[in-house]
Amino acid sequence: MESLTLEEQSESQIIIAVPNEIFQEILTRIPVKSLLQFRSVSKPWLSLIADPLFTKLHLNRSAVNHRAALFITAFDTSTHKHHLLSAAPDGGSVTHLITLRDAPLLQRNTLVAEHLHGLILFTCGNEYVENYFAVVINPSTRSVYKIPGVTSLPKYTYRSVNMCYMFGFDESRNEHKVLIIMMLGFKTFPPMRPSSIEFMIFSLSDYSWRTIDATLPIDISVLQLYIGTKSSVCVNSVIHVMLHGQNDILAFDLRTEKFEIIKFPDDALNSEHSTFYNHKGKNTSKLNQPSIMKVNGLLGVLCHDRVVETNEMHLWILQDYDNRFWIRETITFPKSWVELDGPFPSGSVYRDKIMFSPKRLSRIMMGASVYDLKTGRFEPVKFFLAHQPLRSKNVQFNTVTSYLESIVPLPLNVSTTS
C-alpha cells in the first residue's frame, strides 16, 4: 500500500474519528464549487468525494434542497460559437460557463439540451449524419465530453442516414445512456420514411457503443420522426419520444431494452394539422404537433393546436404511469398569444414552474416568462448579460433548462474556453 504523508495520515484520522455516515451527511450538503476545492486536501478526501456512492448521495441532496440552476445556450450567428451559460431560476446575472471552440459542426442554432441526474446532453445537427454533434456536459464542474461518432455505420451513403440522439438514465444501474435511432435509406422527399432502422446505445459508464436488437411496436412504413435532433424525455428509466404525424409516444425501456407505444387521451387529439394566422402584417403558419416535456419528474405533453383562437395551451401530465392516468392543466396567456410573439415552453425550471422561450430585451438584458402551475400565473424574469460577447446583436438565446448541481465525473476530450 502506498504510504501516506503525515498530513494525509492526520486527515485520515479525522475521517475515521467521525462516523462515515455523519461525515457523508455533512459533505453532501456542500455546494459543488467547495467540494471541487476539498478534493485537493488529501488523498482520502479525494477518494471519498470521487466515490460513486457519494456522487449519488450528493445529487439526491441537491434535489431535496432544490439546488437547481438554469442552463442557457446562446448562439452567435457571426462567429458560429455556442456559449453555454448558467443563471439562478429567479433571474439575476448570467454566468458564462463554457464556449465550445473546436466544434466546427456546431455552426447552426438547431439544438436540443436535456438534463438528467446532473448531466446535460447537448446535440445539434441536420438530416445528414456527418453534421451531427453531441456532447455531454456537467455545468457544475464545467466538464465537456464529446460522444464519439458511430464508427460502424452500415454501407449507406451519408445522405441516406438520419439519426436521432436521445438521453436516458438507467436507475437500475445508476448509469447515463444515449440511445441513437439510425434511420437508413432515408428519402428527402415525401413520404419521409426509412427503409430500415438500427438502434445503438452509448454507455457513459464505459464510454462505448453497442448495437441492440430491438423490435419496433409499429410498422416501419408508418414511422415518422422529425429530421435532425429529437426532443425526448426520460422518466422511470424509460425514454419517450413523440411520433411525428401521430398522437402516440414511442417509449424505450433502458432496463429491458424494449419498445412500446403510449397512447394519448382522446381529448388531446389535434383538431387541425396546422394553423395559419397574421402576425405583424405577415401571414404565418404554426404546426400543431404536440411537444413532449418533463414536469415535476413526470411525463408531459403540450397541446397547442387551438392557442391562436382560444389563447390557451393544454398540458397533459401522466400522473399515474402504470395505469396510464392523465390529468390536464390549462395554461391561459395574459394577453393575445400572437401579440406575445408566440411563446412556447423552453423547459421545466423547477417544481411547478415552466419557463417559456427567452428573448433579448436590450443589449445587456435577456428576459423570459415563467408559468406557475400552482397559481396559474405568469411571472417575468430578467437576466443581466455580464459576459461581454453575449451583448452582441448577433447572439441568439435558445435553450433554457434546469439542472441540479452534481459532481458526476466526465473525461475531457473537447477544447473549450471558460
Side-chain angles (χ1 to χ4, degrees):
M1 181 181 295
E2 185 179 354
S3 61
L4 302 178
T5 66
L6 291 177
E7 181 181 356
E8 290 170 342
Q9 291 177 14
S10 176
E11 296 294 345
S12 295
Q13 291 170 358
I14 291 175
I15 294 176
I16 294 173
V18 179
N20 190 54
E21 293 79 6
I22 296 178
F23 194 72
Q24 284 188 341
E25 182 69 16
I26 294 172
L27 285 186
T28 55
R29 298 174 183 271
I30 302 298
V32 169
K33 185 176 181 180
S34 298
L35 285 177
L36 295 178
Q37 296 173 337
F38 291 170
R39 293 185 306 180
S40 61
V41 170
S42 66
K43 290 182 179 179
W45 281 59
L46 174 61
S47 177
L48 175 65
I49 295 173
D51 187 288
L53 177 59
F54 177 82
T55 299
K56 183 177 180 179
L57 291 173
H58 184 270
L59 183 62
N60 292 339
R61 179 67 63 181
S62 292
V64 170
N65 293 338
H66 310 304
R67 284 205 294 255
L70 296 181
F71 177 79
I72 305 169
T73 65
F75 179 73
D76 192 321
T77 58
S78 61
T79 64
H80 299 291
K81 290 182 178 179
H82 277 279
H83 301 286
L84 310 183
L85 319 166
S86 179
D90 56 354
S93 183
V94 171
T95 300
H96 177 263
L97 298 176
I98 298 162
T99 296
L100 296 178
R101 62 182 177 88
D102 70 342
L105 303 183
L106 279 173
Q107 296 180 12
R108 55 181 295 134
N109 60 357
T110 302
L111 51 90
V112 174
E114 182 184 356
H115 167 264
L116 279 173
H117 293 260
L119 298 181
I120 291 175
L121 178 70
F122 179 71
T123 65
C124 74
N126 61 17
E127 66 267 32
Y128 303 140
V129 70
E130 72 267 31
N131 289 337
Y132 278 90
F133 188 96
V135 295
V136 179
I137 302 162
N138 184 331
S140 303
T141 62
R142 305 190 183 191
S143 303
V144 181
Y145 174 75
K146 179 182 177 182
I147 296 179
V150 181
T151 57
S152 57
L153 282 173
K155 294 181 179 180
Y156 286 84
T157 63
Y158 278 153
R159 293 180 181 273
S160 64
V161 180
N162 181 268
M163 295 165 57
C164 292
Y165 288 88
M166 284 161 261
F167 204 25
F169 185 80
D170 186 343
E171 296 176 5
S172 65
R173 297 177 176 270
N174 194 38
E175 181 180 14
H176 290 86
K177 297 177 179 178
V178 178
L179 169 69
I180 277 192
I181 297 181
M182 294 198 303
M183 294 165 280
L184 312 175
F186 206 86
K187 305 296 183 182
T188 57
F189 52 85
M192 300 174 67
R193 295 173 182 138
S195 60
S196 63
I197 289 184
E198 290 190 5
F199 310 99
M200 298 189 74
I201 287 181
F202 184 82
S203 172
L204 282 168
S205 62
D206 59 10
Y207 302 100
S208 65
W209 285 105
R210 62 183 175 87
T211 302
I212 61 172
D213 184 15
T215 302
L216 283 173
I218 58 174
D219 193 311
I220 191 175
S221 64
V222 300
L223 177 68
Q224 293 189 53
L225 294 175
Y226 283 121
I227 290 178
T229 54
K230 186 66 183 177
S231 296
S232 62
V233 168
C234 184
V235 174
N236 301 328
S237 302
V238 180
I239 296 175
H240 305 82
V241 62
M242 292 290 305
L243 291 176
H244 182 45
Q246 305 173 58
N247 280 337
D248 291 329
I249 298 172
L250 183 64
F252 178 77
D253 194 319
L254 290 166
R255 297 159 298 189
T256 62
E257 298 189 348
K258 293 182 178 179
F259 286 99
E260 68 170 324
I261 292 293
I262 296 179
K263 293 288 186 180
F264 275 13
D266 291 339
D267 292 344
L269 298 177
N270 287 338
S271 57
E272 298 289 343
H273 178 267
S274 58
T275 300
F276 296 89
Y277 61 96
N278 188 278
H279 178 48
K280 296 181 179 179
K282 295 182 179 180
N283 292 326
T284 307
S285 64
K286 174 182 73 70
L287 292 178
N288 291 331
Q289 177 73 20
S291 57
I292 196 167
M293 60 187 299
K294 187 184 293 187
V295 183
N296 293 339
L298 302 175
L299 180 65
V301 176
L302 184 77
C303 297
H304 50 84
D305 57 313
R306 301 289 295 171
V307 67
V308 173
E309 298 86 354
T310 66
N311 221 38
E312 293 179 345
M313 290 183 176
H314 298 300
L315 179 60
W316 291 86
I317 302 174
L318 190 52
Q319 191 72 40
D320 186 337
Y321 194 93
D322 294 332
N323 296 310
R324 300 293 192 263
F325 177 70
W326 296 82
I327 62 171
R328 188 181 76 173
E329 297 280 351
T330 299
I331 300 174
T332 303
F333 292 89
K335 60 180 183 178
S336 168
W337 179 82
V338 175
E339 293 178 7
L340 292 171
D341 292 332
F344 278 91
S346 181
S348 182
V349 180
Y350 47 94
R351 293 182 185 273
D352 298 306
K353 306 280 188 177
I354 299 173
M355 176 164 283
F356 277 69
S357 349
K359 61 180 180 180
R360 182 182 292 277
L361 300 178
S362 68
R363 188 176 63 88
I364 62 172
M365 196 72 65
M366 179 188 74
S369 293
V370 176
Y371 181 78
D372 191 317
L373 285 169
K374 285 186 175 180
T375 65
R377 296 179 179 177
F378 282 91
E379 303 168 359
V381 181
K382 295 182 178 181
F383 302 93
F384 175 69
L385 306 176
H387 189 55
Q388 187 65 35
L390 301 178
R391 299 180 177 183
S392 168
K393 64 180 181 180
N394 298 312
V395 171
Q396 302 172 350
F397 296 94
N398 300 298
T399 304
V400 178
T401 187
S402 60
Y403 70 91
L404 292 176
E405 280 197 351
S406 82
I407 53 172
V408 178
L410 284 174
L412 301 179
N413 66 352
V414 173
S415 297
T416 64
T417 57
S418 57

